[in-house]
Amino acid sequence: MGTVGSVEVVVSTYNHPRALDLVLHALLRQSQPDFRICIADDGSGPQTAELIAAWQQRLGPRLRHIWQADRGFRKNRILNKAIASSTADYLVFLDGDCLPSEHFVARHLALARPRRFCTGGVIRLTLAASEAVQAPGVDSGEVFTPSWLASHDALRNTSARLKAGLYPPWASHLAERLTTVRRTWNGGNSSTARINLIRVNGFDENFGYGAEDIELGFRLNNAGIRGVHLRYTAPVLHLEHRRDYAHPDERVRNKQAARQALRQGKTTTTHGIVEL
């Protein structure tokens, strides 16, 4: 971590206090504890505010909370505010419904390089499994174990089994190098130096829900900031939930706009950090 400098984990959230509480429990058990936490809140209500206030009493200045009014899905805008206001050198991004395993932060930092971003994967839990996750199981690490995941129907394919550590570590590392999955920015599990995000003017705030993060990865690549996978060595557990703000047509438009940015060699956006 010596070459990385100070680190902040940016957790995006919107009206899902139960999941956010579990995420904070998971962050508290990281093998690399030297980082701060920013909760980037896209307009959550009083329940989330009360939860965060309780955690701030516990964590003190290590935890900060930035909030904006609820005017529809504006995740990219609150993330830009988090980037602009951060004093950290290196930023790790985590969705508020994604539980990081014990070595999540350490693995991101191990792979960090000046002109690189890291992109990770998820193990998707069913709604029933998500509801079965409780704080004691997160604190003990039980919910990250292959036996718990298998018993809750989370290891349905080879990819999930690799992520869960069912195979020898060399297999997961090899899979990361050989995977044909594109190295795009995954908002629920990605990281890079803050200066890299400043260079490309952060997230494009024109994007609503659905693939809103992929375009950033394309612009980073176009700017010579290349992605590297930690898809199988630092996965997160995704908690399933309702998404009343999701619109399939918007997701299609976002993907088309992202691909256009890639083809055009676009590196910056005119609706990003500078425009805040």
Side-chain angles (χ1 to χ4, degrees):
M1 182 180 157
T3 60
V4 172
S6 56
V7 180
E8 186 168 61
V9 177
V10 179
V11 184
S12 59
T13 193
Y14 173 72
N15 278 334
H16 200 350
R18 176 182 179 274
L20 179 61
D21 183 53
L22 295 172
V23 169
L24 291 169
H25 274 275
L27 286 173
L28 209 59
R29 64 181 297 273
Q30 291 296 299
S31 59
Q32 166 58 55
D34 189 14
F35 61 90
R36 298 193 297 274
I37 302 167
C38 171
I39 297 175
D41 187 347
D42 187 18
S44 298
Q47 281 187 307
T48 297
E50 290 169 9
L51 171 73
I52 294 170
W55 273 98
Q56 283 177 320
Q57 286 189 335
R58 183 173 182 178
L59 296 177
R62 185 182 176 192
L63 173 64
R64 68 189 183 103
H65 177 209
I66 60 172
W67 180 90
Q68 65 187 10
D70 184 359
R71 296 175 187 162
F73 185 89
R74 297 191 298 157
K75 178 183 175 183
N76 281 1
R77 184 171 181 81
I78 195 65
L79 289 177
N80 280 342
K81 290 179 179 180
I83 296 165
S85 60
S86 180
T87 59
D89 300 303
Y90 196 82
L91 299 177
V92 182
F93 290 81
L94 184 66
D95 280 347
D97 56 9
C98 292
L99 306 183
S101 51
E102 181 182 6
H103 303 299
F104 170 80
V105 173
R107 181 63 176 156
H108 273 273
L109 300 186
L111 289 181
R113 302 292 185 276
R115 295 189 70 82
R116 168 186 286 182
F117 71 88
C118 299
T119 178
V122 301
I123 298 174
R124 297 191 178 276
L125 302 183
T126 64
L127 184 58
S130 301
E131 291 173 347
V133 177
Q134 302 294 331
V138 175
D139 292 338
S140 68
E142 179 190 11
V143 300
F144 300 100
T145 62
S147 59
W148 191 95
L149 293 169
S151 67
H152 288 81
D153 196 30
L155 304 182
R156 295 182 293 275
N157 53 48
T158 302
S159 176
R161 291 190 286 272
L162 276 166
K163 293 170 185 174
L166 270 177
Y167 303 119
W170 63 263
S172 297
H173 287 271
L174 182 63
E176 281 182 350
R177 292 197 298 273
L178 298 181
T179 181
T180 57
V181 175
R182 191 190 290 270
R183 290 168 173 80
T184 57
W185 184 275
N186 173 5
N189 184 351
S190 284
S191 69
T192 195
R194 179 176 175 271
I195 189 62
N196 291 336
L197 297 168
I198 300 297
R199 285 187 181 115
V200 301
N201 202 21
F203 291 86
D204 189 326
E205 296 179 16
N206 280 334
F207 283 70
Y209 175 79
E212 73 283 346
D213 45 2
I214 293 174
E215 190 262 2
L216 171 65
F218 288 159
R219 284 190 286 112
L220 286 167
N221 266 304
N222 290 340
I225 300 160
R226 304 300 184 188
V228 63
H229 277 304
L230 37 74
R231 181 177 177 81
Y232 299 105
T233 55
V236 295
L237 300 185
H238 179 267
L239 301 173
E240 189 52 66
H241 57 94
R242 289 179 56 190
R243 296 172 183 81
D244 296 331
Y245 46 79
H247 303 287
D249 291 346
E250 191 168 36
R251 185 180 184 89
V252 171
R253 288 195 300 271
N254 285 352
K255 285 188 173 181
Q256 290 172 343
R259 285 193 292 268
Q260 186 177 28
L262 177 64
R263 288 194 301 268
Q264 294 176 345
K266 188 177 178 182
T267 59
T268 62
T269 173
T270 55
H271 297 85
I273 295 171
V274 171
E275 289 72 32
L276 282 174

